[in-house]
Amino acid sequence: MKKIYRLIKDLKLRNKLYLIYLAAGLLPMLVVGLYCCYFINQLLVEREVKNLQNSLNQAMSVVDNQLTIYENISDYLAFNQAILQTVSYPYEDNYYEMYNQFSTVFDPMVTSLKYLHSDIKQVTIYARNDIERHDTTLAPITDIEQEAWFQEISNSNKILWVMDKSKEKIFCVRKMPELQGESGVIYIEVDYNKLFEPLTQMLDENYGVYVQKKDEMVFSYNIFQEPYDRMDFSEGNISSLKTSNDSEFIFVDCDLKGAAGLHAGLYRPASQIEETIAPMMKGMVIIYAVSVIAAGLLLTQLTKMIVRNIEKLTQNMKDVKRGNLEVTVTSDSQDEIGELIQGFGDMVERIKTLIEKVYEGKISLKEYEMKALQAQINPHFLYNSLSLINWKAIEADEKDISKITLALSKFYRTALNKGNNVMPLEDEISNVKSYLDIQLMMHDYEFDVEMDIDERMYYYDTPNLILQPLIENAIDHGIDLKTEGRGKIIIRGWSEGETMYLSVEDNGVGMEEEVAKNILTQKSKGYGVRNVNERIKLIYGQEYGLDIQSKVGKGTKITIKFPIVIRKGGLNL
């Protein structure tokens, strides 16, 4: 509880107001809304299930009506005296008379039945054994005595429906009244697909339907989209889906109590029912969401009026903390918050003025130090003296003296840089090479130098004398103190995007991590390295400067980072 209390206490004022709104208004609305949505969803699901049940009942009612019609036709044929007399009459060998009776009495009656009921495919009367076969309407009873259903109807006067799903065949048979000791069977076959056509037109898609007769599947139909179109809806699988407690399908069924004794079932994915009621639920959610949003917008405006000035002051304080002193803090309010903002603005202006004075003073001091260093040397006198030494060395055939004199002359010429504090990188590299020539001769070439500078950087501007102090530091505090192995200094230069990098690396004795951290601070005696770092930061900003990496016994690497400035006539900083 203490943690929760502390968390709430530390919330911003705006968020506290939102929390009050959430606790006092939104949560009760959400609970009531969720309950209403659940209750309405249940009602809509029940309604959809009833609609499915009604659709199945209506479709099966049409099927039942058709079956009843066929049964009535069977009754009509079975008890029609003209047909009974025609079939049972003893024609003996008078085939013409038999043909005449069939053609004038029997055929017109069967033909009219097919004409009035186009879904009747075949009507056949199976009569005594000695009767002649007449087209498909009359045949001897011996043709069907081996059928499985024949024995079932022999001892009954009821109509029997026989359905075969694999052959898509359905027909009804019944026993005719005996005439002159002979019995007959009426066979009426109907169109399988037309009979069950109402079941295939109940819904547009995503449903399945089946019909059973004494637990035997006689018809099935389904039309599904993904992912249900790949499911197995065989007889066994439908039964397992129907009895499963976690089935994703909803089942409804009905029974026909007629002679056919059919049982029908309709199944549909529960998700489809949810999609059916989704528009209504979506409408309710939209109304609820609009109400919540409207209340939220009203609360936002009220909250903004209350905390606007406080947030403005807080943001201004954060900007100042990040070092952005170009912040304009104003308020025309006369309340306590307005007075606080105005006082803070005055304070920022005063701090900015003081910082500018200190910053300008530091730049002036560094410029004074650089110019004082350069002023200590009389360039003309120095150049003339070095030139004289060079000529004397040449006359005396002292090539080493001549070489070191020329290197020293070139070093000072590039170092003084005609009083400018910025030079092309090419001149800075030339200055470093002259300095290294002198150091190599002084050290009797006891260490190696390697340079890897991208020549495309030669025309970039750099502050002068930024590499020499680093190389001097590498020699004095790294290479000279090395007792084993040959020393090596590596100078690299590369660019990344809008930034250029210069590094000086040695394989000297290195230094402790704490010592490396303090080199760039006021606590360090390394004035040359620290001076380079401060000049870079003063000229380009605090995000630039030197980075020192060192490891005892391995060496030291100092990297200079500053922005790319392409030379256009030079700068004088």
Side-chain angles (χ1 to χ4, degrees):
M1 291 300 295
K2 289 183 178 180
K3 290 183 179 180
I4 296 175
Y5 173 77
R6 183 65 183 178
L7 180 63
I8 296 175
K9 184 179 179 181
D10 292 339
L11 286 175
K12 294 182 179 180
L13 180 58
R14 179 187 292 267
N15 293 333
K16 288 179 181 177
L17 293 175
Y18 287 150
L19 187 61
I20 293 172
Y21 163 67
L22 179 66
L26 186 60
L27 286 179
M29 290 178 60
L30 181 62
V31 172
V32 173
L34 290 175
Y35 175 76
C36 291
C37 287
Y38 173 78
F39 181 72
I40 294 175
N41 181 72
Q42 291 297 109
L43 290 179
L44 293 176
V45 169
E46 291 178 3
R47 190 193 70 175
E48 285 300 315
V49 172
K50 288 182 179 179
N51 290 340
L52 291 178
Q53 185 68 63
N54 291 335
S55 298
L56 180 62
N57 291 342
Q58 291 176 4
M60 289 305 294
S61 176
V62 174
V63 173
D64 187 46
N65 289 337
Q66 287 298 110
L67 294 176
T68 302
I69 291 173
Y70 302 141
E71 291 175 359
N72 291 337
I73 292 173
S74 179
D75 289 339
Y76 169 73
L77 294 176
F79 295 98
N80 186 282
Q81 293 298 317
I83 291 178
L84 291 174
Q85 291 176 3
T86 302
V87 171
S88 60
Y89 185 80
Y91 296 103
E92 296 180 353
D93 293 332
N94 192 345
Y95 296 110
Y96 173 78
E97 184 179 0
M98 181 174 61
Y99 176 79
N100 183 56
Q101 288 292 322
F102 289 165
S103 300
T104 57
V105 178
F106 191 69
D107 286 350
M109 189 174 298
V110 173
T111 302
S112 63
L113 287 176
K114 289 185 177 181
Y115 177 78
L116 294 175
H117 303 278
S118 59
D119 46 351
I120 295 179
K121 297 178 68 175
Q122 180 181 338
V123 177
T124 305
I125 296 178
Y126 294 94
R128 63 185 190 271
N129 295 333
D130 61 342
I131 200 167
E132 289 292 329
R133 186 182 306 277
H134 181 70
D135 196 17
T136 61
T137 58
L138 189 64
I141 200 169
T142 54
D143 288 359
I144 59 173
E145 287 179 346
Q146 302 302 319
E147 296 292 340
W149 46 265
F150 181 76
Q151 294 300 325
E152 188 174 348
I153 64 170
S154 297
N155 302 319
S156 174
N157 291 323
K158 294 182 179 180
I159 295 174
L160 175 66
W161 282 98
V162 180
M163 303 179 184
D164 190 337
K165 180 177 181 296
S166 60
K167 297 180 181 179
E168 293 190 354
K169 189 174 184 180
I170 180 170
F171 58 89
C172 67
V173 289
R174 68 165 300 153
K175 181 180 177 182
M176 296 179 64
E178 292 185 3
L179 289 175
Q180 299 180 359
E182 298 288 342
S183 63
V185 174
I186 295 180
Y187 173 98
I188 300 177
E189 181 181 348
V190 300
D191 192 309
Y192 179 91
N193 292 319
K194 284 189 177 181
L195 176 65
F196 294 116
E197 187 177 23
L199 298 177
T200 65
Q201 298 177 348
M202 288 188 295
L203 303 170
D204 294 333
E205 58 185 6
N206 275 345
Y207 80 99
V209 65
Y210 63 90
V211 179
Q212 292 177 320
K213 185 176 187 297
K214 295 182 179 180
D215 296 329
E216 180 183 354
M217 188 76 73
V218 297
F219 174 80
S220 65
Y221 172 82
N222 64 75
I223 175 171
F224 287 108
Q225 295 179 341
E226 292 186 354
Y228 304 105
D229 56 340
R230 294 187 293 270
M231 289 185 64
D232 177 20
F233 291 103
S234 60
E235 180 176 356
N237 196 37
I238 290 177
S239 300
S240 63
L241 288 174
K242 186 176 180 181
T243 57
S244 175
N245 293 328
D246 57 350
S247 175
E248 54 186 318
F249 290 85
I250 292 179
F251 283 83
V252 295
D253 55 13
C254 70
D255 295 309
L256 297 184
K257 298 181 179 179
L262 300 180
H263 170 81
L266 172 66
Y267 52 97
R268 199 175 200 189
S271 59
Q272 185 67 26
I273 295 180
E274 293 174 359
E275 290 177 6
T276 304
I277 65 177
M280 298 182 65
M281 296 300 298
K282 183 178 180 181
M284 293 183 59
V285 171
I286 290 175
I287 294 174
Y288 179 77
V290 169
S291 302
V292 172
I293 292 172
L297 290 175
L298 179 61
L299 176 68
T300 301
Q301 294 302 318
L302 293 175
T303 304
K304 186 182 293 185
M305 292 175 59
I306 297 173
V307 303
R308 177 174 52 193
N309 289 337
I310 298 176
E311 289 182 341
K312 184 177 180 182
L313 178 60
T314 303
Q315 184 60 45
N316 288 332
M317 288 181 175
K318 290 181 179 179
D319 291 339
V320 172
K321 184 178 179 180
R322 289 193 294 266
N324 180 14
L325 298 180
E326 299 298 327
V327 179
T328 303
V329 186
T330 59
S331 175
D332 55 1
S333 301
Q334 300 301 318
D335 57 6
E336 293 81 359
I337 297 176
E339 293 179 359
L340 184 60
I341 290 177
Q342 293 168 13
F344 180 74
D346 295 339
M347 181 185 69
V348 169
E349 289 297 326
R350 184 169 179 79
I351 291 175
K352 186 166 63 173
T353 301
L354 293 173
I355 290 176
E356 288 176 354
K357 288 181 179 180
V358 173
Y359 184 77
E360 291 172 357
K362 281 190 175 184
I363 292 179
S364 299
L365 178 61
K366 292 300 176 182
E367 290 181 351
Y368 174 77
E369 290 176 351
M370 179 59 68
K371 291 185 182 294
L373 179 61
Q374 293 171 344
Q376 292 176 4
I377 305 171
N378 188 324
H380 296 291
F381 175 76
L382 178 63
Y383 298 154
N384 291 336
S385 300
L386 292 174
S387 179
L388 179 60
I389 295 171
N390 180 46
W391 280 108
K392 291 293 183 181
I394 292 174
E395 289 177 357
D397 197 24
E398 293 290 343
K399 295 182 180 180
D400 289 341
I401 296 175
S402 175
K403 182 177 180 181
I404 195 171
T405 303
L406 290 174
L408 185 61
S409 176
K410 189 175 182 181
F411 169 75
Y412 278 114
R413 184 177 287 108
T414 53
L416 295 175
N417 193 29
K418 298 180 181 180
N420 295 321
N421 292 335
V422 174
M423 64 170 61
L425 179 60
E426 184 177 15
D427 291 347
E428 178 72 10
I429 298 302
S430 177
N431 174 269
V432 168
K433 288 180 179 179
S434 299
Y435 178 75
L436 283 169
D437 287 341
I438 297 171
Q439 287 286 359
L440 284 169
M441 285 186 281
M442 289 174 60
H443 287 77
D444 197 20
Y445 297 93
E446 291 180 349
F447 64 90
D448 299 321
V449 176
E450 179 183 328
M451 282 196 179
D452 182 15
I453 309 290
D454 188 348
E455 293 183 357
R456 292 175 296 181
M457 299 170 57
Y458 279 1
Y459 299 100
Y460 295 170
D461 271 346
T462 65
N464 59 341
L465 294 178
I466 59 173
L467 287 175
Q468 184 273 330
L470 307 187
I471 296 172
E472 182 179 357
N473 183 78
I475 295 173
D476 293 345
H477 302 288
I479 301 299
D480 285 350
L481 301 179
K482 185 177 179 68
T483 57
E484 296 181 0
R486 186 173 178 82
K488 187 175 183 179
I489 295 176
I490 303 174
I491 303 170
R492 292 190 177 93
W494 70 95
S495 61
E496 295 179 3
E498 301 297 325
T499 306
M500 63 184 295
Y501 298 86
L502 298 173
S503 70
V504 176
E505 182 178 356
D506 67 76
N507 64 344
V509 296
M511 67 188 83
E512 299 289 345
E513 183 178 355
E514 189 65 27
V515 176
K517 289 182 179 178
N518 291 332
I519 285 180
L520 302 180
T521 67
Q522 296 295 332
K523 300 178 183 179
S524 170
K525 295 180 180 180
Y527 174 77
V529 177
R530 190 176 75 241
N531 179 269
V532 172
N533 184 57
E534 292 178 353
R535 286 168 56 205
I536 294 293
K537 290 185 178 295
L538 283 172
I539 295 172
Y540 299 112
Q542 294 298 313
E543 64 268 32
Y544 301 103
L546 271 60
D547 175 66
I548 301 177
Q549 297 177 353
S550 184
K551 191 171 184 181
V552 176
K554 297 294 184 181
T556 302
K557 179 179 179 181
I558 303 179
T559 304
I560 310 173
K561 173 186 175 184
F562 54 96
I564 294 175
V565 178
I566 299 177
R567 187 166 182 78
K568 295 181 180 179
L571 295 174
N572 190 2
L573 298 176

